[in-house]
Amino acid sequence: MASEQKNERDQAGNPDTTTAGAHLKPHDLGTSEENNEKRAQKDTEGVNLQHDKLLEANEDDDSTDYKPSDEESDLEEGEVPPSPPYGDERYEEWRRKFLKKTDDIDVDIELEYHFTEAEIAEEEAKEREREVDRKLAEERELEARAKIDKFYDELNNVDRDMESWSIEKGAPRAPKAMVSLPNFDVELTRGTTEINAPSHSHAYDPQAQRIRTQTSLYAPAQSVWESRDHHSNPLHTEGGQLNNMPPFEERPYRNDRPRGGRRGGYRNQNYNGGGGGRKRNFREYDEDDGLDRPLPPRREQPWPKLRRDVVEISDSPMRNAIEDVKDLASMIVKDWQDDFFREHALDLLVNMVLEHPLKIPFMAGIVLNLNLKQPDIVETLLPKYSARAQQAIEAGDWRTLKLLLRFFACAHGLFEGTVIFDVLEQLFNRAVDLQAASADDAIGLEITKVILLTIPFVVAAPGAHREQLKQKASEMLDKTEVIAAAPPASEDMISPYVAVEGENPPELQPVVKILQLQLRSEESGQWMLKFLPHYFEDSSDKNLMSDISEAGKKHDFPVFAVPATINPGPQPLFPEVYFSLYADQDVETVPPTKHLASSIIRDVVVDTINILDFNRTRVAKYLVELDCYWPKDTFAKRATQFDLVRDAPVGTPTWKTEDVAIDALFSQIMKLPNLEHRAVYYHSVIIEMCTQAPTSIAPSLGRAIRFLYRNLETLDVELIYRYTDWFAHHLSNFDFRWKWVEWVDDASLSRIQPRKAFILGLLDKEVRLSFAKRIRQSVPEPLAKCIPSSMDNDIPEWKYRPESAPFHSEAKGIVDCLRSQKPEEEIVLLIEQIIATASKDSTHPSPQLLAIDAFVTTLCYVGSKSLSHALSFVERHKDQLASFSQDPLLPPNADDLDPGAVANVNRVQIVASVVNYWRNTQTGVAVSLVDKLLNYGIITPTSVVDWAFGITNPSSFKAGIKLPETWLYEIVSATVGKVMNRVNQLVASRGEQGIPKPQAEQIEDTLNTETTNTRELFRMMEDVLVGVAEGNNDGMMEEGMGEVVGEGPEDREIRDGAQLALLKAWGLKWLRVFRRRLAAQEKKVKEGMLRWPEPVDPAAKAAAAAAVTETHDEDGVDNMDTAEADGV
C-alpha cells in the first residue's frame, strides 16, 4: 500500500514543474468541477505514507554520487524531501536510500496544485486529436487486414499448419511470407499479423527487432517509449505531432542492437550470452522511412526444385498427378536454356525410368507434354534412352531393357504407327533361336517375359493407332504361345513345394505361362486395362481417341541392335514361378492369378524392391503408399480390416495394398534357387513397413505367417530355414511378441514333425538373439518346455571337471597351460600322456581321438566366456589344431594305418568335439567356430560333411534323426557355400582381361581340381540322403530303430516306426536342396566360362613389342622430324 501511495505521489509531481500538466495522462483530465472536487478531497485526506518496517536502515549510503542541497540536508528524520523534475537517476537513488532509514514514520503531504483554464483547454484539444488519430489507425488497420485476406490464398510459402512461435527474447520465428501492398510490407505468421509501415502508433521493440503495428491478433502492449515520466517520451513533442518518429540520431540504430550468432541468447539484456540468438536478415537502415525491412525470400533454384518435384511425383494422393506432369514439363521448358539445368534434367529423366519403376508412366507423361511444348527437348532426350537400352542388351541386363521398353510403350505417342512391335518381334526371334538351341535355356524365357510385360503398356498408351496396336498385340501373342506354353525343364529347381507322401502342395505355374493366359483374357475383353496408371489427359478413358499424334511432332523410334551372341548377364537366369501367399483364396485381397494386374503390379513392386536396395526406408514408404501410383478404384482403403473386405458389397475394391506388398516381399524371400540380395535386406524392409504403418501391416503379416506355417509339411527345407531365420529376426525387433497360443498344441508332436522342428529351430534362433530366460517368459508353458534348461547356463558344463572323470588330471593340466600361455611343447606332452594312458586300456579303440577330444573340449572350455574369447583361443592355438591333420597322432604299433585316413578321422573328431560342447547351450557359437576352423584350414568341407552325415561313423547319423535340426542345416549349408564361393572366385579371376597364359593355365588347373572336389562333396551327401529318402539307410529298418534313435519318450513314435515316412520326407527335401545347388553352381560356372577372354601369350606379346620397337627405330628420324614440326 505504501508503495502504491508513493507511486501516486510521484505521478502527482511538484508544483514548481516548468511544464504544467505535461505529466498528466488523458484519463486523468476532467471538467473544472470534477477537478475541484478531487483537489478538495486530496487536501482534506492527504497521502498517508505508512512504512511497515519494509527494510532495515542502511547506514552505508556513501556510495551515491548525488550531492543533496542545503535545504535537503537540513531535513529532519522522517521528513520527505521535495521532488525535483524526474529523470535524474542519482537523485532517485539518494531519495530511495533516505526513505529506507525511516521506520514507522507517517508523513502527510498536501497537494495544492490547481489547473488553469488554459491548461485544461489545451489538454482537451490534445485529447480530441488523439481520438482522431485512433480512429484513423483503426481504419488503416481494417484496410490492411482486408488486403491481407485478399492476398492470403495466393501465398504459396505459408505453412498454415505451423504451430505458433513466440517472438519473445529472440525465439525462432515461424516461416513467413511477404506480400507487397501499396505503402505496406505485410508479414504473415500464424498467430500474428505484422504491418511494417510509418504510422503514428509505431512502437519500437528492441526484442522483436523491428517497428511493429499492433493489430487485433496481438495482445495490447505498452510501448517501451512510454515511461513513468510521460513528458520525456520523444513521441509526445510540442504541438502534439504523435506520428513523427524521433530524430535519427536519437533512434536505436543497427550498432545499438543486441548481437548474437546462430544459437543461444544475447549477451546483454540478461540473455546470458551463449553464442548469440537468431540470425536476422536485415537490409541497411532506410533513413527515409526509418524502417528495417527484411529481405524478400529467395527464389528456389530451378534444378533442386525440379529434382525434388520429379522424385516426389504422385507420392501424395491429394495431388493431381496429371496436372503435376504438365507443370513439370512447363518448368523444364522454362529453364531449358540454362546449361547446368539442361544437363542434369536430361540425366534425371533417364535415371527416374531406371530407378523408379512405379513412376515410369508419369515420366512418359512428362516427355509427351514436352513434345507438345518444345519438341527439340525430346529429340535431345531420346538418344540417351536409346544408348542405355543398347548397353543393357550388350550387358545382358534384361531388367533395364524391360524398364526402357515400358517407357517407350507409355510414350508411344511420340512415334509413328506401330514401330515398337518391330523391336519386340526382333527380340522374340532371338528368343526362339535360343530356345531351339537348348531346351534348358532361360535367356529366351526371360526375353519372352520382357515382351509380354511390355504389350499392355503399348496398348494402353495415349495416342492414335490404338486399334492397329491391338491387332499387333494379338499377332505377337500368337507367336509367344509356343515358348510360354512349354513347361520349363528345371521346374524342380524353382518350385518352393515338395511333393511328399500324403500331402498335396499348392500348384504353382511359371510366370511366363501365367502372363500368356492373362493377356489372352485381356484380349478377349477388348483390352480394358483399367488398373494401369493414368498419366496423360486422356489416359483415364481408354476408349477416347487422343489427338496427341497430330498435335505433337513425330520422332524416329530409337534403334538398338541385338547381337548375335547373347550375354547371359552377371548372374545365371532361371525360370520363375508365381509364388503368392494370398492369391486364389475365398477373399480376393490380392489380384487373382487369372487377372493381368497380378503380374503387372507384382513385377513393378518387385523391381522397386530390388532396384532401391540402398534405401530401405524409401522402399518401405513406396510399399505402404502403393495405392498412390495406381488408379483410385484399384485398391481398397488402407488399413481396411479383413472382415470388412470379406463383407464388402459387390463392385467394391477388395485388393489390399498391404497384402500386395507383403506378397511381393515374400516372393523374393522364397525365391529359388538364389536370392537377388541378402535376406537381411528383405527382413529390414518388412520391419521398416511395420514401423511406418503398424496397424495396417501387422494383420497382413500375421496371415502370411500362418499360411507358411500351415504348409511346412511340403515347403522346401531351404525355405523353411529362410522362414525361421526371418521370423526370429522379425520378432527380435518387436519384443518377441506373437500369438504363440495358436501353436501350443503342436508342442507335443515328435521333434521330426515339420511344425515341431520349426518351433524348436525358431526358439533356438531367438535364444541366440536374446537369452533363454527372456524367451521362456515370452511363450506359453508348453512351448517354454521346448527350451532346454542347459541353455540357461552361459558356460557349458565341462565334462572333465569331476575328479572321477577319465583324464581329469591331464585335462586340468591343459587348462593351466592354455590360461598361462605356456609353450606348445608342454601341451603336446599332456596329449601324448593321454594317448599312452588310453592305449593301455582295451576299451578305448581310438586313443588319439580321445586325446583330440580332450584338447579341443578343454580349449572350448577355456574360451567359453564369450564368442570373441573362443575365437581368440582358436586363433592362438590354430597351429596345434592343424597338426592333428597335417601330422596325425598315431597310436603305438599302428604302422598299417593310412595317415591320410587318420587325418580325416582326426578332423571329423575336431568338428564333433566343438559341436558337442556347445550344441546344448549356444548352438550359434558352434556354427561360428566351425566356420572359423574352415577359414583357418584346420578342417575341410569333406570332414564337416563326413561328421554331419555319419559317413565315417554311421551310428552318429542316427538314421537321419538329425536332419530336422536347424543348426545342422546351417552348418552344412554354410560349408557348401564356401566351396561354391571358392569356385566362383576362380571363374571370376580367369575372366579378367590381360591375364598371361601361364597364369590362366594355372587358374584353370586349380578350377578343375576344385570342381572335381565339389562334385565329390555333393556325391557324398547324395549317397547318404538317397538312402534316407528311400528308407535304405543303415539303421532305418524297423527292428533297428530302437538302437539308433534312442530311448527318450519323445522318440517313442520314431522308435516304433510310426513316423518313418517323415524321415523319408526329410531325406527327400535335403536331397532336393543340394541337387539344386549343384545344378545352379554348374550353370553359373558354365556361363562364366563363356565370357573368358583369350589369355595373353608372353612370347607373342614380346615379339609384337619388339616388332613395334624395330619399326620405330627405322622411322625414328622421320617421326622425330614430324614431331618437331607439330610442336611436340
Side-chain angles (χ1 to χ4, degrees), residues 827-1034:
I827 299 177
V828 172
L829 291 176
L830 293 171
I831 294 175
E832 292 177 350
Q833 184 177 349
I834 295 175
I835 294 176
T837 304
S839 299
K840 299 177 182 178
D841 190 351
S842 60
T843 60
H844 300 303
S846 302
Q848 74 278 10
L849 298 184
L850 292 176
I852 293 173
D853 180 63
F855 175 75
V856 175
T857 303
T858 304
L859 183 67
C860 292
Y861 165 69
V862 174
S864 60
K865 185 176 181 181
S866 64
L867 176 60
S868 60
H869 281 73
L871 296 177
S872 176
F873 276 95
V874 169
E875 184 176 3
R876 186 181 305 169
H877 299 280
K878 61 183 178 181
D879 294 336
Q880 180 61 45
L881 291 170
S883 66
F884 294 143
S885 58
Q886 297 172 0
D887 185 15
L889 298 174
L890 299 178
N893 302 324
D895 298 335
D896 56 338
L897 296 179
D898 182 11
V902 173
N904 181 66
V905 172
N906 293 347
R907 287 191 289 264
V908 173
Q909 182 59 51
I910 293 175
V911 179
S913 299
V914 171
V915 175
N916 291 336
Y917 181 80
W918 289 103
R919 60 174 298 181
N920 295 324
T921 305
Q922 300 182 42
T923 56
V925 177
V927 174
S928 300
L929 286 178
V930 171
D931 182 79
K932 182 64 69 173
L933 294 173
L934 283 170
N935 292 340
Y936 287 143
I938 297 172
I939 59 177
T940 62
T942 303
S943 60
V944 176
V945 171
D946 191 337
W947 162 82
F949 296 100
I951 297 174
T952 302
N953 185 14
S955 61
S956 64
F957 186 56
K958 294 186 177 181
I961 195 65
K962 296 193 299 182
L963 292 180
E965 300 283 354
T966 304
W967 57 266
L968 178 67
Y969 176 82
E970 188 175 357
I971 291 176
V972 176
S973 178
T975 303
V976 172
K978 284 184 175 293
V979 174
M980 294 190 298
N981 288 337
R982 169 63 176 164
V983 175
N984 294 336
Q985 291 174 1
L986 292 172
V987 173
S989 300
R990 177 60 182 84
E992 295 179 358
Q993 296 289 340
I995 295 182
K997 190 173 182 179
Q999 183 179 355
E1001 293 175 352
Q1002 182 180 3
I1003 293 176
E1004 292 177 6
D1005 293 340
T1006 307
L1007 178 61
N1008 293 332
T1009 303
E1010 292 292 338
T1011 303
T1012 302
N1013 294 338
T1014 302
R1015 291 172 180 172
E1016 179 64 21
L1017 184 70
F1018 280 93
R1019 186 197 60 78
M1020 293 171 56
M1021 292 188 291
E1022 183 167 358
D1023 291 343
V1024 177
L1025 294 174
V1026 167
V1028 177
E1030 296 178 355
N1032 299 327
N1033 185 267
D1034 296 339

Side-chain angles (χ1 to χ4, degrees), residues 206-461:
Q207 294 182 1
Q209 292 293 313
R210 61 181 164 279
I211 298 173
R212 131 183 117 188
T213 297
Q214 304 294 343
T215 67
S216 59
L217 295 181
Y218 277 103
Q222 183 182 6
S223 171
V224 297
W225 288 100
E226 297 177 356
S227 59
R228 289 191 306 124
D229 47 335
H230 188 72
H231 67 275
S232 64
N233 191 337
L235 295 179
H236 293 264
T237 58
E238 295 183 3
Q241 299 297 326
L242 300 180
N243 58 345
N244 291 333
M245 293 296 294
F248 178 76
E249 60 276 3
E250 298 180 8
R251 281 179 272 172
Y253 192 56
R254 292 178 62 90
N255 296 332
D256 299 330
R257 295 192 187 122
R259 294 297 176 186
R262 292 184 176 272
R263 302 188 197 176
Y266 300 124
R267 292 190 178 275
N268 51 3
Q269 297 188 5
N270 297 325
Y271 288 9
N272 297 326
R278 287 179 296 171
K279 183 178 179 181
R280 303 297 183 90
N281 190 7
F282 283 96
R283 291 188 297 183
E284 290 296 331
Y285 189 87
D286 191 347
E287 189 172 353
D288 294 335
D289 56 9
L291 297 178
D292 284 334
R293 302 178 186 274
L295 291 173
R298 292 183 178 179
R299 175 178 177 267
E300 187 175 4
Q301 294 298 322
W303 158 242
K305 178 175 176 55
L306 176 69
R307 179 179 56 188
R308 184 189 67 245
D309 293 348
V310 169
V311 172
E312 296 178 356
I313 189 171
S314 193
D315 284 353
S316 173
M318 306 303 295
R319 297 182 64 87
N320 189 334
I322 297 178
E323 294 299 326
D324 290 344
V325 164
K326 295 179 181 179
D327 294 340
L328 289 171
S330 301
M331 185 187 306
I332 294 174
V333 172
K334 178 182 177 181
D335 297 295
W336 186 252
Q337 300 304 322
D338 187 341
D339 295 339
F340 180 85
F341 177 87
R342 179 171 60 254
E343 178 182 357
H344 288 75
L346 291 173
D347 293 339
L348 175 65
L349 294 176
V350 175
N351 292 332
M352 283 294 295
V353 172
L354 303 180
E355 297 180 5
H356 293 264
L358 284 167
K359 303 183 180 182
I360 289 178
F362 306 105
M363 296 301 103
I366 294 175
V367 176
L368 289 173
N369 281 276
L370 286 174
N371 192 54
L372 297 177
K373 299 176 184 295
Q374 191 170 339
D376 296 343
I377 299 178
V378 179
E379 290 183 357
T380 308
L381 186 60
L382 288 178
K384 289 185 173 291
Y385 288 113
S386 176
R388 297 299 293 269
Q390 187 64 47
Q391 294 175 7
I393 293 176
E394 294 175 356
D397 189 357
W398 306 112
R399 174 187 290 153
T400 299
L401 178 63
K402 176 184 64 178
L403 299 178
L404 290 169
L405 288 176
R406 184 175 301 167
F407 168 78
F408 292 140
C410 294
H412 193 261
L414 300 173
F415 315 113
E416 188 66 45
T418 59
V419 64
I420 190 172
F421 278 99
D422 297 338
V423 178
L424 296 181
E425 187 170 358
Q426 182 184 2
L427 290 172
F428 175 74
N429 293 334
R430 190 52 51 86
V432 171
D433 297 339
L434 294 172
Q435 286 289 303
S438 174
D440 297 335
D441 180 77
I443 302 177
L445 285 176
E446 187 70 16
I447 295 176
T448 304
K449 186 181 76 170
V450 170
I451 295 171
L452 295 176
L453 289 171
T454 305
I455 290 176
F457 292 93
V458 178
V459 178

Side-chain angles (χ1 to χ4, degrees), residues 638-919:
R638 295 180 200 168
T640 302
Q641 298 180 3
F642 181 79
D643 296 339
L644 298 179
V645 174
R646 180 179 53 197
D647 301 334
V650 178
T652 304
T654 60
W655 300 346
K656 292 171 58 66
T657 56
E658 301 86 1
D659 287 14
V660 172
I662 295 297
D663 210 20
L665 279 166
F666 273 95
S667 71
Q668 299 305 293
I669 296 177
M670 301 294 174
K671 184 179 179 180
L672 292 174
N674 300 313
L675 294 174
E676 183 165 347
H677 299 289
R678 291 182 180 271
V680 68
Y681 164 66
Y682 303 107
H683 302 177
S684 302
V685 173
I686 296 177
I687 293 171
E688 189 65 30
M689 290 177 64
C690 293
T691 303
Q692 295 184 12
T695 57
S696 60
I697 299 299
S700 297
L701 198 59
R703 289 190 289 117
I705 294 169
R706 296 181 181 94
F707 175 85
L708 293 173
Y709 187 78
R710 288 194 303 267
N711 292 277
L712 283 173
E713 284 77 4
T714 57
L715 197 63
D716 186 90
V717 69
E718 183 175 0
L719 300 186
I720 293 177
Y721 176 77
R722 293 184 191 176
Y723 176 36
T724 307
D725 200 27
W726 164 77
F727 197 28
H729 183 196
H730 187 81
L731 292 180
S732 67
N733 284 270
F734 297 96
D735 297 332
F736 300 99
R737 290 176 294 180
W738 170 246
K739 294 183 179 180
W740 298 101
V741 180
E742 301 177 1
W743 298 349
V744 167
D745 295 340
D746 295 336
S748 59
L749 298 174
S750 170
R751 68 174 184 267
I752 68 171
Q753 213 282 339
R755 298 187 183 185
K756 178 64 175 294
F758 169 76
I759 292 174
L760 294 176
L762 178 62
L763 294 176
D764 178 66
K765 288 271 189 179
E766 290 187 358
V767 170
R768 296 192 209 176
L769 298 171
S770 181
F771 49 91
K773 182 178 180 180
R774 181 183 179 187
I775 302 304
R776 193 178 288 112
Q777 293 174 350
S778 65
V779 299
E781 182 64 24
L783 297 180
K785 295 179 180 179
C786 296
I787 303 175
S789 58
S790 59
M791 287 190 172
D792 294 331
N793 302 325
D794 295 334
I795 299 177
E797 183 64 26
W798 186 43
K799 64 181 181 181
Y800 297 102
R801 183 184 300 277
E803 295 183 359
S804 59
F807 314 112
H808 164 75
S809 58
E810 292 84 354
K812 187 176 180 181
I814 295 175
V815 171
D816 296 337
C817 292
L818 293 175
R819 288 178 175 175
S820 303
Q821 299 185 11
K822 293 182 179 180
E824 295 288 342
E825 291 77 8
E826 297 187 19
I827 299 177
V828 172
L829 291 176
L830 293 171
I831 294 175
E832 292 177 350
Q833 184 177 349
I834 295 175
I835 294 176
T837 304
S839 299
K840 299 177 182 178
D841 190 351
S842 60
T843 60
H844 300 303
S846 302
Q848 74 278 10
L849 298 184
L850 292 176
I852 293 173
D853 180 63
F855 175 75
V856 175
T857 303
T858 304
L859 183 67
C860 292
Y861 165 69
V862 174
S864 60
K865 185 176 181 181
S866 64
L867 176 60
S868 60
H869 281 73
L871 296 177
S872 176
F873 276 95
V874 169
E875 184 176 3
R876 186 181 305 169
H877 299 280
K878 61 183 178 181
D879 294 336
Q880 180 61 45
L881 291 170
S883 66
F884 294 143
S885 58
Q886 297 172 0
D887 185 15
L889 298 174
L890 299 178
N893 302 324
D895 298 335
D896 56 338
L897 296 179
D898 182 11
V902 173
N904 181 66
V905 172
N906 293 347
R907 287 191 289 264
V908 173
Q909 182 59 51
I910 293 175
V911 179
S913 299
V914 171
V915 175
N916 291 336
Y917 181 80
W918 289 103
R919 60 174 298 181

